[in-house]
Structure formats: C-alpha cells, structure tokens
Amino acid sequence: MRKVYYVFNPTTRTYDRVYPNLAQRFLTILRRILLFVIFGGLSFLMFYLLVETPSMKDVQEENSNLLAQYRILSQRLDDAMEVLEDIQQRDDNMYRVMLNAEPVSKVARNAGYGGTNRYDELMNMSNSELVVLTTQKMDMLAKQLYVQINSFDELVHMSSEQEDYLRHLPAIQPISNRDLKRTASGYGYRIDPVYKVRKYHRGMDFACDIGTPVYATADGVVVAAKWLQGYGRTVEIDHGYGYRTLYAHLNKFSVKKGQKVVRGEQVALSGNSGKSTGPHLHYEVIVKGKPVNPINYYFMDLDAEGYDEMLRIAENHGKIYD
C-alpha cells in the first residue's frame, strides 16, 4: 500500500497532506532499488561463503583425488627407481665384469637437468612441493633409463664382437638346478662344519646325490683331474681370458687332464670325497688367480627373479658341507 505523508500547519493547527514532486518520487524509488541491490548482494555473498554448491564440492573432490594420485605416483616412482638401481648394479658388477668393460660412471648415471628455473612454473600450484618433487623424480627416472638403455646397447655391441670370449666365460650352473633347490651354501665367510671356526668359503655348495652329473660351465681345457687335499677328487678347467673353474668332492671323473671341453659337457659325477660332511658339489670360479663369487656367473641359467632367489638363499648361508 502506498504511504501517505502529512505536515503540521501551525496556522490552522491541522495536518496538511504532502504530495511529493517527481524528483522526490524518483529519489525514493532509487533509494529502494539501492537497498534491494545491497541486501541481495550481501545475501548472495553469505550464501556463497557458508553454503557449498555442487560445483564447489566437485572441484574440491577433484583436487583431493589429484593429490592422492600424485602421492601414489610418487610412491610408484620410488619403487621404479629401486628396480632401476638393481639393474644398474647388475650392469656394473655383473654384465660389465663379464665383458671386461668399465662400469658406467656415477656422474653419467646421476646427471641432472640444467637450468635453475625448470620447475618455477610449478611453484604457484597448490601442493607445489609434492608436484615439483614428483616431476623431479620422473625427470631423473627418464634420464637414468636413457643412460641404461645406451649401456645395454653398448654391451650388446661388445658381446657380438667377443663371441669366443663369451664361449669361454663361465655362465651356467655346474649341475642341473633350475628350481634352485640344490643351492646349499654361498660364497664368503662361514662357520666350518668340521672345525667349528669362522672360515672363508671360496665357492658355492650344491646339495646333490652321489653320481649326479657335473657339467663344464664354459669351453676350456682340463688342467687337473686328481685328488686334492681337502677337496677330494677335483676337476679344474682353464677357460682362458684369466678364468678357471674348480669342481670338488667328486665321486668319478668323466674327463682327463689336457682334454678340451665345451660348455654343458659332463666332466664328472658328484660325490662325497675329501673333507665333506655330506654328498655335494663344491664349485669355484677363479679370475686371474683369485676366487670370486660364482653367483655372478649364472647369467645363461637364471632370469632376474631366479638370480634374486639364489642370492637370497646364498646370503642365508644354508647348509655347509665343507
């Protein structure tokens, strides 16, 4: 209902009705519009700040999911780096050793990307620390994978040029042991089963029945097939290139001194001769006169999982026979 205004008239002592002019009416209407706009704006602002709209919830949920995915990605990158580190260790300490090649330098493997401003554009993002760290891990993984691929390409090229060398390189297990159940004891310091003192074990022991075939692990020439103190009946093969292998505690020889053998050829039958507490084969790999860990010379027999399993068994010491 429209308001009516009155003004007191002292002359007549009555109230006279006031009729506003056009300008006054316009100002009144304008004032009401302004109040309505201000009130509406404040109401919308309060609603926006205090009440979450569906679109806001969607954005927040999406941001939360992205953050979770970044954390998962970061963890998986850590796992991938561990796998790559294991491959790098084998490359330097196993494959390159076999090919008489120098290991890849740490500088080349760990070289980073140039430029201090590489990640500046990511610093303004929410959770920038996690985003930058994850991106750095991805860059480092890509760089190290590139170096590793080049290293493998180099090894393939080297191996193609050294076919004769590879034939004379010990590369298989000396007995049939695909399931690794015959792996008994590894290389390194052990408690001697006879004298009960700490002693250096120069090779690996394989548990097997008397009469189990024993095979040459590479091409070579038999330089000994005789009884050795402590080792019992022993076969020793010179493979050239500084490599020799030794097979001890045998029951019977299948070769004689001076005989040429090829990888996989039977050289003896396993036994229990010499200082031994049970039937087994003692196997050594000797490089330039020094015994080395034979576990690094089964690359034609074992895949990555098999290598890890044998390493675990050997490090667990297992049963010692000599």
Side-chain angles (χ1 to χ4, degrees):
M1 183 176 179
R2 186 176 179 182
K3 291 185 178 180
V4 179
Y5 296 92
Y6 293 88
V7 176
F8 181 73
N9 188 337
T11 305
T12 62
R13 297 180 182 271
T14 60
Y15 287 93
D16 297 332
R17 184 174 179 179
V18 177
Y19 294 93
N21 56 31
L22 184 61
Q24 289 174 331
R25 290 181 181 179
F26 177 77
L27 289 175
T28 300
I29 294 172
L30 181 61
R31 190 182 303 114
R32 290 176 179 176
I33 292 174
L34 289 174
L35 288 175
F36 177 78
V37 171
I38 293 172
F39 178 77
L42 290 174
S43 299
F44 177 79
L45 182 62
M46 292 180 63
F47 179 82
Y48 182 81
L49 295 175
L50 299 178
V51 180
E52 291 185 350
T53 63
S55 59
M56 290 175 59
K57 290 182 179 180
D58 291 342
V59 171
Q60 292 176 353
E61 184 176 353
E62 183 178 355
N63 288 339
S64 178
N65 290 336
L66 285 174
L67 183 60
Q69 290 174 8
Y70 260 104
R71 291 195 177 110
I72 293 173
L73 176 60
S74 181
Q75 181 59 51
R76 289 182 176 176
L77 286 171
D78 289 337
D79 295 339
M81 291 294 289
E82 289 183 8
V83 174
L84 178 59
E85 184 178 357
D86 181 62
I87 294 173
Q88 291 170 345
Q89 290 292 330
R90 295 186 196 183
D91 182 15
D92 290 341
N93 302 321
M94 183 174 174
Y95 308 136
R96 288 183 169 271
V97 169
M98 293 174 184
L99 294 173
N100 288 327
E102 291 295 324
V104 179
S105 69
K106 292 184 177 180
V107 174
R109 288 197 185 279
N110 299 319
Y113 286 86
T116 58
N117 300 323
R118 181 177 179 84
Y119 306 105
D120 281 356
E121 61 182 16
L122 303 176
M123 296 304 296
N124 295 326
M125 299 178 63
S126 59
N127 301 293
S128 59
E129 184 176 351
L130 177 60
V131 174
V132 170
L133 179 61
T134 304
T135 306
Q136 288 175 334
K137 289 179 181 179
M138 292 180 65
D139 288 345
M140 182 58 69
L141 181 62
K143 172 68 175 179
Q144 293 191 8
L145 280 173
Y146 175 77
V147 174
Q148 189 58 55
I149 290 171
N150 286 339
S151 175
F152 282 151
D153 288 342
E154 180 184 358
L155 290 175
V156 170
H157 178 71
M158 292 173 62
S159 65
S160 65
E161 294 182 341
Q162 301 187 48
E163 290 184 7
D164 184 71
Y165 168 76
L166 290 175
R167 286 198 305 270
H168 292 80
L169 178 68
I172 63 173
Q173 298 179 81
I175 65 172
S176 180
N177 188 35
R178 292 284 183 177
D179 57 8
L180 305 182
K181 291 183 178 179
R182 289 176 168 174
T183 307
S185 178
Y187 172 91
Y189 282 100
R190 302 288 187 265
I191 300 298
D192 189 285
V194 176
Y195 302 114
K196 307 301 180 183
V197 295
R198 193 167 182 261
K199 187 178 179 181
Y200 194 74
H201 193 232
R202 294 164 53 98
M204 288 190 70
D205 290 343
F206 296 87
C208 54
D209 296 331
I210 293 176
T212 300
V214 177
Y215 306 107
T217 57
D219 295 6
V221 177
V222 177
V223 293
K226 63 182 181 179
W227 184 280
L228 289 180
Q229 183 67 31
Y231 285 101
R233 292 185 182 88
T234 303
V235 168
E236 187 173 359
I237 301 174
D238 185 353
H239 303 284
Y241 300 98
Y243 289 96
R244 289 195 175 203
T245 53
L246 182 145
Y247 314 76
H249 307 299
L250 304 172
N251 181 58
K252 184 179 179 180
F253 301 129
S254 302
V255 293
K256 58 184 179 180
K257 183 178 179 180
Q259 181 176 335
K260 291 184 178 180
V261 294
V262 296
R263 178 183 290 132
E265 181 177 346
Q266 181 177 315
V267 296
L269 297 176
S270 67
N272 190 30
S273 58
K275 186 177 78 67
S276 173
T277 59
H280 75 288
L281 170 69
H282 174 83
Y283 173 66
E284 294 182 12
V285 175
I286 303 161
V287 181
K288 297 180 180 178
K290 295 182 179 181
V292 297
N293 195 342
I295 202 170
N296 293 324
Y297 292 87
Y298 303 138
F299 67 93
M300 291 184 66
D301 257 0
L302 302 178
D303 57 15
E305 291 182 0
Y307 176 85
D308 288 339
E309 178 63 14
M310 176 172 276
L311 189 64
R312 184 192 66 79
I313 295 172
E315 288 298 322
N316 198 35
H317 297 184
K319 186 174 181 180
I320 303 170
Y321 289 91
D322 54 44

